[in-house]
Amino acid sequence: EIIIENTGSETIVVSISATTINEHVVFDTNRVVLQKGEKKTVIMTINAPDSGVYAGKIRFKSGSVTKDVLVLINVISDGVLFDVAINVPDIYKRLYPGENLPTLIELTEVGGEEGLDVTLNYFIKDFDGNVLYTESETLYVFGAKSFNKQFPTSDFEANDYVVGVELLYPGGFATSSAHFRIQKFQISWLTILAITLAFISGILVVLAIIFYRKHNKDTKGKKNGK
């Protein structure tokens, strides 16, 4: 269910569509009329595609105003023998350009009595369907296993992204994903003020040193003249 509310002062007509995942989602309506202060619920049905992680947007448009809701679809196989989770710490869900993305990967064998070699396919993609990073490795897992992994983001522009992992094993697969954002580097007015004050303070210190040395030099000259 998606709840749409008109917070404006006039009646609006909202069109609803999906990008990138449009072939996997169906709405019970693609157009909603809302009176001032009115709310309506739209039902979205997701048809699970093949294995993997699918990222897209649900777009709401009324006149010149457009708002997007980010959507992640994680598809797993029936009778899962392994579970996988990728977690991004809250403090790293917003990064600046050039920073690495730290994650925690957790692998769990569900009901198995012996370990298996599993393949992990890592990726980073945006919500427009563009894959920007891929990597694979094979690990032996018995019981549970967790480890930290960092992903490079040096070439990424300011945007929303999804980091994901697909775990493949004989007879099945599991997936997990997490959302993060690269934000533009912005200097707040407090930072600008602090830099300005530091610059002015530096100039004053230099002037004070010059004045002190000149004063000492003049004082010594007078003493030598006597």
Side-chain angles (χ1 to χ4, degrees):
E1 294 185 352
I2 302 175
I3 299 175
I4 308 173
E5 180 181 3
N6 180 6
T7 59
S9 58
E10 300 178 354
T11 299
I12 61 173
V13 178
V14 182
S15 62
I16 307 167
S17 61
T19 63
T20 308
I21 57 171
N22 54 298
E23 60 186 275
H24 307 305
V25 300
V26 178
F27 303 101
D28 64 343
T29 181
N30 297 102
R31 183 176 178 273
V32 174
V33 179
L34 295 172
Q35 305 296 326
K36 173 185 175 182
E38 185 180 10
K39 295 181 182 179
K40 286 188 178 180
T41 300
V42 175
I43 304 298
M44 180 178 71
T45 302
I46 299 174
N47 300 308
D50 295 330
S51 66
V53 175
Y54 299 81
K57 302 174 184 176
I58 307 302
R59 179 157 292 168
F60 303 88
K61 186 173 182 179
S62 177
S64 60
V65 178
T66 299
K67 291 190 176 183
D68 291 334
V69 174
L70 304 180
V71 176
L72 288 175
I73 303 174
N74 296 306
V75 184
I76 62 175
S77 61
D78 291 332
V80 176
L81 296 181
F82 281 90
D83 190 22
V84 61
I86 183 168
N87 299 294
V88 177
D90 288 342
I91 60 173
Y92 296 110
K93 289 183 177 179
R94 288 182 176 270
L95 302 175
Y96 289 108
E99 293 182 321
N100 286 337
L101 174 69
T103 65
L104 173 65
I105 311 292
E106 297 177 299
L107 312 176
T108 305
E109 187 179 12
V110 182
E113 297 182 356
E114 59 181 20
L116 285 176
D117 286 327
V118 300
T119 299
L120 298 175
N121 295 324
Y122 307 103
F123 62 86
I124 296 178
K125 62 173 69 173
D126 60 23
F127 284 83
D128 293 317
N130 301 306
V131 179
L132 305 171
Y133 176 86
T134 59
E135 181 186 350
S136 295
E137 66 175 332
T138 300
L139 296 176
Y140 177 80
V141 180
F142 178 65
K145 184 182 185 71
S146 63
F147 55 93
N148 296 311
K149 184 172 181 61
Q150 290 199 0
F151 294 88
T153 66
S154 57
D155 297 328
F156 294 3
E157 298 178 352
N159 203 349
D160 290 286
Y161 298 93
V162 53
V163 57
V165 57
E166 182 180 32
L167 184 152
L168 304 176
Y169 59 92
F173 56 88
T175 61
S176 180
S177 62
H179 165 237
F180 71 98
R181 179 172 181 79
I182 302 293
Q183 57 189 353
K184 292 181 179 179
F185 184 77
Q186 296 180 340
I187 301 179
S188 67
W189 69 270
L190 288 175
T191 303
I192 295 175
L193 179 61
I195 294 174
T196 302
L197 291 176
F199 180 73
I200 294 174
S201 298
I203 292 177
L204 292 177
V205 169
V206 171
L207 292 175
I209 293 174
I210 294 174
F211 176 79
Y212 176 77
R213 289 180 176 177
K214 187 176 184 303
H215 177 73
N216 283 351
K217 184 176 181 181
D218 292 342
T219 301
K220 289 180 180 179
K222 291 178 179 179
K223 289 182 178 180
N224 292 335
K226 290 180 180 181

